[in-house]
Amino acid sequence: MEKFLNLGSQPLANSYIKKSNLKLKEKKFKLQVGFNKKNYLVSIINTVPKEKMFNNEYPYKSSESKTMRKSFKDLAKKIKKKYKPNFIIEIGSNDGAFLKNFSKNIAVGVEPCKNLARLTVKKKYKTFSEYWSIKLAKKITKIKKADLVYSANTLSHIKKLDEIFNAINYSLSRNGILILEDPSLLSCIKNVAYDQFYCEHIYVFSTIALKNVLKKFDLEIFDIQNTKTHGGSNRYFIKKKINNIYKIKNSVRAEISKELKFGLHKISTYKKFSLKVKESKKKLLKIFLKAKIKNLNIIGYGATAKSCTVLNYCQVGGNFIDYFYDTTSYKIGRYLPGSKILIKKYKKLDKKKVDIAFLGAWNFKEEIFKKEKNFIKKGGKFITHVPIPQII
Ligand code: TYD
């Protein structure tokens, strides 16, 4: 693996700090990203033990996002119409935002974060609060195999991909399909969205890399959809090679050719990206400095895991940002890891109190701009770092 990006010493992205713990030393790790020339996988080099990240205090809930709720609902509708599954396993079922679109008799969840698993159990969905493994796959599919395995924004969080796909392969019926959804490496590199890299995102997948990983298990991608979630994601439709029901669609060839044209198979592309990240840091700091000199009131909007990478890499803290607004109940009253900026309960932006808001949740830009149209009308601005740092 060749290292191409160094994002410095970073805290654990989703470890929001309680006021009483502000003085305690935070756990840090070196956030470095590398490229594997053999299989084209891009991954962080030093990983954090999964138990430290996915425990009974996991803050992210899919259901709290309108965009995610809609995305899952639309996909579920398509799945029911096209694939008519009788047994669905969701790996990383979070709080049930996807599962809830299916009958309780046919859909089960796997969710190691106990605080989240409790929520799907409450909704009467059978949920296994364990990490996905071959042992668990055998237990779940003892009576029948799954005709659909779904996993969104989860497999990129798991280090041992071979074990994961082995267990998925075991779980799938002969003609069963696997649908995966994760941030797209092409979007990440094109948008200089280096904040897709944090402790939980062990991998950011490209199609060419995923294809190589799947090959070992006689699994193949037969369709790809680009989605807007999480700043540009890919939804991969995967089948066993022996399954001839689904032909490989042009979307797969098209995505691969886009990736090769952009150079996702070459280390030089990642080295160029790394230079752009350094540039991005300089530009972002310049913008913050200028705004501060003008005495403008700057806050943060959306205390995302992604913003943890940006703030800590660029060393932006209370020196520039007074506080963050966020809608997630768990985060309110806590402080962002590393930068230790207070997170307050979201209120509609008021131009009398706020001049500029740093878009931590840039992936929800459209939703946020709609919500804050009055602030924008009155001359309120946003700072974003994607694709280039600018005031909008
Ligand atoms: P998310 O996009 O999941 O990012 P990450 O995976 O990097 O943590 O998180 C979005 C965060 O932004 C979440 O904490 C909720 C917050 N948010 C708001 O506060 N207001 C909004 O209008 C939106 C869309 C999100």
Short mmCIF file of all heavy atoms in Angstrom, two decimals, residues 35 37 40 208 259-272:
data_model
loop_
_atom_site.label_atom_id
_atom_site.label_comp_id
_atom_site.label_asym_id
_atom_site.label_seq_id
_atom_site.Cartn_x
_atom_site.Cartn_y
_atom_site.Cartn_z
N PHE A 35 -3.05 3.84 -1.13
CA PHE A 35 -3.61 3.23 -2.34
C PHE A 35 -2.94 1.89 -2.57
O PHE A 35 -1.70 1.79 -2.54
CB PHE A 35 -3.35 4.17 -3.53
CG PHE A 35 -3.70 3.61 -4.87
CD1 PHE A 35 -5.02 3.29 -5.19
CD2 PHE A 35 -2.72 3.39 -5.83
CE1 PHE A 35 -5.34 2.77 -6.44
CE2 PHE A 35 -3.03 2.87 -7.08
CZ PHE A 35 -4.35 2.56 -7.38
N LYS A 37 -1.92 -0.70 -5.08
CA LYS A 37 -1.75 -0.76 -6.54
C LYS A 37 -2.27 -2.07 -7.14
O LYS A 37 -2.57 -2.13 -8.32
CB LYS A 37 -0.27 -0.61 -6.90
CG LYS A 37 0.22 0.81 -6.77
CD LYS A 37 1.67 0.87 -7.19
CE LYS A 37 2.23 2.24 -6.92
NZ LYS A 37 3.68 2.29 -6.95
N TYR A 40 -6.46 -1.77 -6.25
CA TYR A 40 -6.99 -0.39 -6.39
C TYR A 40 -7.78 0.11 -5.18
O TYR A 40 -8.46 1.13 -5.25
CB TYR A 40 -7.86 -0.23 -7.65
CG TYR A 40 -7.20 -0.66 -8.93
CD1 TYR A 40 -7.97 -1.26 -9.94
CD2 TYR A 40 -5.85 -0.48 -9.16
CE1 TYR A 40 -7.39 -1.65 -11.13
CE2 TYR A 40 -5.26 -0.87 -10.35
CZ TYR A 40 -6.03 -1.47 -11.32
OH TYR A 40 -5.45 -1.86 -12.50
N ILE A 208 -13.81 -0.10 -9.60
CA ILE A 208 -12.72 -0.99 -10.03
C ILE A 208 -12.13 -1.77 -8.85
O ILE A 208 -11.74 -2.91 -8.99
CB ILE A 208 -11.61 -0.23 -10.83
CG1 ILE A 208 -11.11 1.01 -10.08
CG2 ILE A 208 -12.09 0.15 -12.22
CD1 ILE A 208 -9.91 1.69 -10.73
N GLU A 259 -14.10 5.97 -14.24
CA GLU A 259 -13.06 5.87 -13.20
C GLU A 259 -11.67 5.73 -13.81
O GLU A 259 -10.71 6.35 -13.35
CB GLU A 259 -13.36 4.68 -12.27
CG GLU A 259 -14.59 4.91 -11.41
CD GLU A 259 -14.85 3.75 -10.45
OE1 GLU A 259 -14.08 2.77 -10.45
OE2 GLU A 259 -15.84 3.84 -9.70
N LEU A 260 -11.58 4.94 -14.88
CA LEU A 260 -10.27 4.75 -15.52
C LEU A 260 -9.83 6.04 -16.20
O LEU A 260 -8.66 6.42 -16.18
CB LEU A 260 -10.31 3.59 -16.52
CG LEU A 260 -10.52 2.20 -15.90
CD1 LEU A 260 -10.64 1.14 -16.97
CD2 LEU A 260 -9.40 1.85 -14.92
N LYS A 261 -10.81 6.72 -16.83
CA LYS A 261 -10.49 7.98 -17.51
C LYS A 261 -9.95 8.99 -16.48
O LYS A 261 -9.04 9.76 -16.77
CB LYS A 261 -11.76 8.51 -18.16
CG LYS A 261 -11.50 9.41 -19.34
CD LYS A 261 -12.75 9.66 -20.10
CE LYS A 261 -12.59 10.91 -20.94
NZ LYS A 261 -13.87 11.43 -21.37
N PHE A 262 -10.52 8.96 -15.29
CA PHE A 262 -10.06 9.89 -14.25
C PHE A 262 -8.75 9.44 -13.61
O PHE A 262 -8.08 10.21 -12.94
CB PHE A 262 -11.15 10.04 -13.17
CG PHE A 262 -10.98 11.28 -12.35
CD1 PHE A 262 -11.44 12.50 -12.81
CD2 PHE A 262 -10.33 11.23 -11.13
CE1 PHE A 262 -11.25 13.65 -12.06
CE2 PHE A 262 -10.14 12.37 -10.36
CZ PHE A 262 -10.60 13.59 -10.83
N GLY A 263 -8.40 8.18 -13.83
CA GLY A 263 -7.12 7.68 -13.33
C GLY A 263 -7.18 7.06 -11.94
O GLY A 263 -6.17 7.06 -11.23
N LEU A 264 -8.32 6.50 -11.57
CA LEU A 264 -8.42 5.92 -10.22
C LEU A 264 -7.57 4.66 -10.06
O LEU A 264 -7.47 4.10 -8.97
CB LEU A 264 -9.88 5.62 -9.85
CG LEU A 264 -10.79 6.82 -9.62
CD1 LEU A 264 -12.12 6.40 -9.01
CD2 LEU A 264 -10.15 7.88 -8.71
N HIS A 265 -6.95 4.21 -11.15
CA HIS A 265 -6.09 3.02 -11.08
C HIS A 265 -4.61 3.43 -10.98
O HIS A 265 -3.74 2.58 -10.98
CB HIS A 265 -6.30 2.14 -12.32
CG HIS A 265 -6.07 2.85 -13.63
ND1 HIS A 265 -6.65 4.06 -13.94
CD2 HIS A 265 -5.30 2.53 -14.69
CE1 HIS A 265 -6.26 4.44 -15.14
NE2 HIS A 265 -5.43 3.54 -15.61
N LYS A 266 -4.37 4.76 -10.90
CA LYS A 266 -2.97 5.21 -10.90
C LYS A 266 -2.63 6.00 -9.63
O LYS A 266 -3.39 6.89 -9.22
CB LYS A 266 -2.73 6.12 -12.11
CG LYS A 266 -2.77 5.37 -13.44
CD LYS A 266 -2.31 6.25 -14.58
CE LYS A 266 -3.34 7.28 -14.94
NZ LYS A 266 -3.15 7.90 -16.25
N ILE A 267 -1.48 5.73 -9.06
CA ILE A 267 -1.06 6.43 -7.85
C ILE A 267 -0.88 7.94 -8.13
O ILE A 267 -1.13 8.78 -7.26
CB ILE A 267 0.23 5.80 -7.23
CG1 ILE A 267 0.64 6.52 -5.92
CG2 ILE A 267 1.39 5.75 -8.18
CD1 ILE A 267 -0.24 6.28 -4.75
N SER A 268 -0.51 8.29 -9.36
CA SER A 268 -0.28 9.71 -9.67
C SER A 268 -1.55 10.54 -9.43
O SER A 268 -1.47 11.69 -8.99
CB SER A 268 0.19 9.86 -11.12
OG SER A 268 -0.72 9.26 -11.98
N THR A 269 -2.71 9.95 -9.67
CA THR A 269 -3.98 10.66 -9.45
C THR A 269 -4.13 11.02 -7.97
O THR A 269 -4.56 12.12 -7.62
CB THR A 269 -5.16 9.74 -9.86
OG1 THR A 269 -4.92 9.32 -11.18
CG2 THR A 269 -6.50 10.43 -9.76
N TYR A 270 -3.74 10.08 -7.11
CA TYR A 270 -3.90 10.30 -5.66
C TYR A 270 -2.87 11.29 -5.15
O TYR A 270 -3.13 12.05 -4.21
CB TYR A 270 -3.83 8.96 -4.92
CG TYR A 270 -4.93 8.03 -5.40
CD1 TYR A 270 -4.68 7.04 -6.35
CD2 TYR A 270 -6.24 8.22 -4.98
CE1 TYR A 270 -5.71 6.24 -6.83
CE2 TYR A 270 -7.27 7.43 -5.45
CZ TYR A 270 -6.99 6.43 -6.37
OH TYR A 270 -8.02 5.66 -6.85
N LYS A 271 -1.71 11.29 -5.77
CA LYS A 271 -0.68 12.27 -5.37
C LYS A 271 -1.14 13.68 -5.73
O LYS A 271 -0.94 14.62 -4.97
CB LYS A 271 0.65 11.92 -6.01
CG LYS A 271 1.25 10.68 -5.37
CD LYS A 271 2.68 10.48 -5.73
CE LYS A 271 3.27 9.37 -4.84
NZ LYS A 271 4.39 8.69 -5.47
N LYS A 272 -1.77 13.81 -6.90
CA LYS A 272 -2.31 15.12 -7.31
C LYS A 272 -3.39 15.55 -6.33
O LYS A 272 -3.46 16.71 -5.92
CB LYS A 272 -2.93 15.00 -8.72
CG LYS A 272 -2.03 15.57 -9.82
CD LYS A 272 -2.79 15.61 -11.13
CE LYS A 272 -2.24 14.59 -12.09
NZ LYS A 272 -3.13 14.17 -13.17
#
